[in-house]
Amino acid sequence: MAGKIGLNVAQICLTKDCTEDEIVDELSKLNEDPRVRGVYLHLAPALLTGRVISTLAPEKDVDGVADLNMGRLVRGDPSEGFVPAEAMAVMEVLESHGEFHPQPPVGENIDRNSNILWLSPCVGDTAVGVWLVVGVMGQPNMCVLVSLQNVVLGSCRWLREQQYQDWSLRLLKLQPLNPVPSDIQISRAQTPKSVQQLAQEIGLLPGELEPYGRNKAKVRLSLLERLQAQPDGNLVLVAGITPTPLGEGKSTVTIGLVQALSAHLKLNSFACLRQPSQGPTFGVKGGAAGGGYAQVIPMEEFNLHLTGDIHAITAANNLVAAAIDARMLHEATQSDKALFNRLVPSVNGVRKFSPIQISRLRRLGLSTTEPASLTAEEVRAFVRLDLDPSKLTWQRVVDTNDRFLRKITVGQASTEKGHSRETGFDIAVASEIMAILALADGLGDMRVRLARMVVGTSRSGQPITAEDLGVSGALAVLMKDAIKPTLMQTLEGTPVFVHAGPFANIAHGNSSVLADKLALKLVGRDGFVVTEAGFGADIGMEKFFSIKCRASGLRPSAVVLVATVRALKMHGGGPNVSAGSPLPREYIDENLSLVTGGCHSNLRKQIEIAHLFGVPVVVALNVFKTDTAAEIALVCRLALECGARAAVPCHHWALGGRGSVELARAVKEASAAPSHFQFLYETEMPIVEKIRTIAQKVYGADDIALSPQAEAEIQTYEQQGYRSLPICMAKTHLSLSHMPDKKGAPTGFTLPIRTVRASIGAGFIYPLVGTMSTMPGLPTRPCFYDIDLDPVTEEITGLF
Amino acid sequence: MAGKIGLNVAQICLTKDCTEDEIVDELSKLNEDPRVRGVYLHLAPALLTGRVISTLAPEKDVDGVADLNMGRLVRGDPSEGFVPAEAMAVMEVLESHGEFHPQPPVGENIDRNSNILWLSPCVGDTAVGVWLVVGVMGQPNMCVLVSLQNVVLGSCRWLREQQYQDWSLRLLKLQPLNPVPSDIQISRAQTPKSVQQLAQEIGLLPGELEPYGRNKAKVRLSLLERLQAQPDGNLVLVAGITPTPLGEGKSTVTIGLVQALSAHLKLNSFACLRQPSQGPTFGVKGGAAGGGYAQVIPMEEFNLHLTGDIHAITAANNLVAAAIDARMLHEATQSDKALFNRLVPSVNGVRKFSPIQISRLRRLGLSTTEPASLTAEEVRAFVRLDLDPSKLTWQRVVDTNDRFLRKITVGQASTEKGHSRETGFDIAVASEIMAILALADGLGDMRVRLARMVVGTSRSGQPITAEDLGVSGALAVLMKDAIKPTLMQTLEGTPVFVHAGPFANIAHGNSSVLADKLALKLVGRDGFVVTEAGFGADIGMEKFFSIKCRASGLRPSAVVLVATVRALKMHGGGPNVSAGSPLPREYIDENLSLVTGGCHSNLRKQIEIAHLFGVPVVVALNVFKTDTAAEIALVCRLALECGARAAVPCHHWALGGRGSVELARAVKEASAAPSHFQFLYETEMPIVEKIRTIAQKVYGADDIALSPQAEAEIQTYEQQGYRSLPICMAKTHLSLSHMPDKKGAPTGFTLPIRTVRASIGAGFIYPLVGTMSTMPGLPTRPCFYDIDLDPVTEEITGLF
């Protein structure tokens, strides 16, 4: 027996000595082999058994034998010759069905030396094809009826599969209750489709899906190649006005919008969300899967380990940290020669550089690949990274709100020989590797970015990278599954990608480029991908345009700007809003003048910022139950006056997609309008000028003021060749300015730049405006006090 | 339309106003709902469309309508009355098939007021059943042929599924090469079956599987309930003689043995392995998936994130740590009243204890559930855990070899207000939560164990638990998926469970109770589950018997004791063996006297230890290519003299299962012999006596010597009520004694007990004999220098 693979179709041929077991084995392997697109069976009749036929996967069945298993297999009596009576009877039945009209067999069509008994054209109600009745050479103990149509269909299937497939989305019905139950109650009341089902509905091939349990799956990046020729859909960015500390509901608007687009306007749409950190889930904030009747389900899976991407980032980040400290210790305690002998060990008498080491040699300007040829000076340069402990920028991470790890001293055990130093842990999502995951456009690009991450500076001022540490390949291996976006669904059964979740201050705060790109292919030319940016539009949207769009080539067709009456009142001069305190009366009673103030300050400015980039704005007013009709009407009217293309109230929290249909229509209309996307600055400008441009044009500052430290740092980055990176401002999200209590649209201020850092692997410079906490703490009573699970039903309680 | 669920069978009934879309929706939900075992369709003829029929999942199809979709659907002409010609034609064909013999329709059998046209008994070649021809009330525009047999079959399917199902294992063929290629080359050359396929072959139901990608899946614990009545198979423990620092191949023997049992003796078998830490994978040791032609595949998935269990443990462990430090800070900076007001906040004017807080109140002896009723004294007792910083035992963990975290100072940021303290990180698998995962026998039991973990002691000497911290429910939530074992396969396609991997010194070093229990049900009465213990038999096996068997009720039928000529020579007086140095000549050339010495000392003693527990021993000599025939024969002969029931050479590394057939036969024979399992000590003995029993009977010590610290600690544990816990000795694995360089079977020594610790959640006391490192370091040239991946093929290089 031979399994030949050619043009993705395997032919199983007969050899005399193979057994049924062997054929079943071979078939099973071919079934499982994703490279094999189809299988022809050429077997002796005795081997074409029910077991063999049922083994062959229907999707691999090129000549339709699997159909035989459905009751069409007719066992003939050898004594009856080539055309058993049963075959005739079957033909007649087919005729009588009115669906198939085989011609009667004609003697001369029967080739007694081949398997083919007769061939007859067939035209049915639904099918045009050829019917082929097959006997078997010499020993006609079996006669089968095979549709030659299947040969054609099967041969075409692979090509057809490669094409874009229209969606056949089965929606999940929502019957919103009033009052709206808790998020987890709503989530649990809805049974999600299996993720395989969802994937099939949106045109994914089974081989493109890697399920993680029943409700979530990773999607392989090969999809991008398969749908290369398919035009992208429309990309819509959801941003917000400057929020109160309570948040104004960008995630719920995002989810409500896709529920409305897909479930109510029947337009293909995809939401692209960030994966939340587990820290806040058990700390103060709770979940991040949306809320009310606009949620990703099951919300507990969204909020917990998901498919392990953040854990992979933690593992990769901390491997770099361990490599740094161990390397410094080894360099401090060994001679050049000892280091070299260990780094390039003699194996069976031969020393050889690993590819990662050759890459370091190249960075040092050494072209050799022969260890013995290095001079003592070159050996020294090669083995000593000579990291300056005072200039290490790499921190360890955990995905836990662990405030006691903010500043620590490591290396205090006697085994570390006194090489202790001060450092700290960040929350995992603050890792540069998270920002890389969000910006990489493929495995190769991610590998390159991981390699060029700068972890510190040598005593001579050279940046030291993950590649210099020899760890970049291992990082790529740790991250190889994390790079695939995770598919989930909304409460109404519409698709969602969850992928990456970089910090919105020290990083760019947007979900992944890859999730957006995959979704844009899947929704099709007329579809919509709704992706979310962190914080207010001055931060999240600006970074989306300046960093994510620049890195990826993505271009949005519209911006949805989320506003609430609450936040507008705050910007209009309302009293302080803070988490944990009851809302002042101004926020509960109608107050049109505060609303007007907010619209004319912060809302107007945020719309203007979007227009700097040439993108139309739809204002989505996320309606709370205390909002009055007059307030709602006022916001919508003033938003139009401030330049929004449309402004609509949204009721997704209480009603699901039905509550956001008006928004969906407005977004569709805005996306159809011509867009004139442009960048705010050229990357070739000096770093200082880029920072100044953002401060003045986006924040409304008069100017910037650099600390001496910041000036020196900028000079270093420009010397090190990092001048042309875009800027990622680390600024408070609670004001357009750097002063959290200045609401509305502050003017007349100078933006102070305290210090300037760089994420070279991710590809941006990040100036710090004030102090950014990269490790949250636990309050006296963290969320976890209420979280538990029922050991019998496995149902989780207390997540919100 | 109504979807009624009763007895796990849904009936879809007709209502006048439902549409095809609604029926398809409803059916899709029922298809997906694991609670629904079957669906009857009672629909108006116009609604019984091809789309409806094809929507219903065949496995839910109780009355066989799905068969209609296979071409048996006959569209009738309303003008032709109740029995369309097509139906007659179909009947005739069925008759002519020789398989079914329906009786001709008889007028009086036709009930014109029901759906049933006629009923006729049918006896075929393969089926006995009833054929039912169904028309439709009043409007006979459709006539379908339904096998009533399916009604019976469908109704019985659920019951049948609940039963144990025989395996139909499709083996993967091995064609071992010589010389044996690298592990990753061998692993990659074999295409594993999809895990769904494997699961089906070993009798798992689709609903019991949670795939994680193509090659691995979690198995739901509900299986234990389904197969409750099924007798367990045979449990075989793989242990080893005292190893050299290079290891003697217990994992490869384990995998080779199941490959031999399943693939060559056709006996159902399962290997239960521990999940390896990622630390060594990137540090010095490399992978742990076996080696050569006895491996778990794909080995890279085994060695990397797997299904995220260790990451879940890390998250859970570190949430406890963060909770401890945050709580100490909050207690130090707040009054009793402020703490109480925050811990039991007023929500809409009402204060309420959470269930976890009520559980703490009970531990304090308070029966109230009314916050207002607490006295000031009770409030103080409730809000203050009053942890003694010098008596905290809980460490943080990472799954990285990060030596600089062995001893650290945390809390040095100004936000922590001077509350810094010394602590450290362990490698993740050293977490008590890992030991709990390995010992828990269900979700409820795990929840209980997590709650009772002691993290430190209050200043008044009370043990403080995870439940006191309020975090135990969150821990259970974080661990809810980790508790399900992960199914993978060997190179020959036989099943493997990978689950848990606790340290073998400070914990008990065995894979999980649940994996063993699930596997024992799946293999069936005559099958074999081969489970592995860490280190030598004096440690891993003793703990398996004393801790794991005691906790679980598991009883092994045989012990496989792995030996190598190399280790035996070392015990017989051969020179020092150490990692990184070339092996001395004695280990390469034949040396029968060293072998004899090793057999008469260490091998004999380890066999005797197994006999202390009443279990028969099969010695498996893991053959290396330098072993001579005389050495092999000598070991086998002497092992029998030392009391082994059998002793056989194994060649699985070079040959796969075929190389271990002799071992498999010996194990089968030994398992059939009567076993007289007994414990070594009663748990009610004083802690000191239990330690002494192990030291004397297992290690061969004259006595034990407790340090004053150890004596005090033992006294504390006995006072706290932990006296009856079993003992988990933390001793070097390189000698039967506490002195790593004493090989063979040392005598005449006193075992020093330095300190005694406790894992109360896991359920054991662990005396430390010497210093145990719980955080490995990275060498100068870690494994990661060679690890990389191809960005196009996604293939990993450099893992071994």
Side-chain angles (χ1 to χ4, degrees), chain B residues 53 61 101 108 157 167 327 377 398 435 437 488 625 700 758:
Chain B
I53 289 166
D61 175 20
H101 308 279
E108 48 268 42
R157 187 185 293 139
W167 287 19
R327 180 63 174 255
E377 198 50 46
V398 282
L437 179 66
M488 292 188 76
K625 61 180 175 220

Side-chain angles (χ1 to χ4, degrees), chain A residues 14-16 18-20 23 43-49 52-53:
Chain A
L14 173 75
T15 54
K16 291 288 170 203
C18 69
T19 65
E20 188 192 34
I23 296 170
L43 293 176
L47 292 173
L48 203 64
T49 61
V52 166
I53 289 166

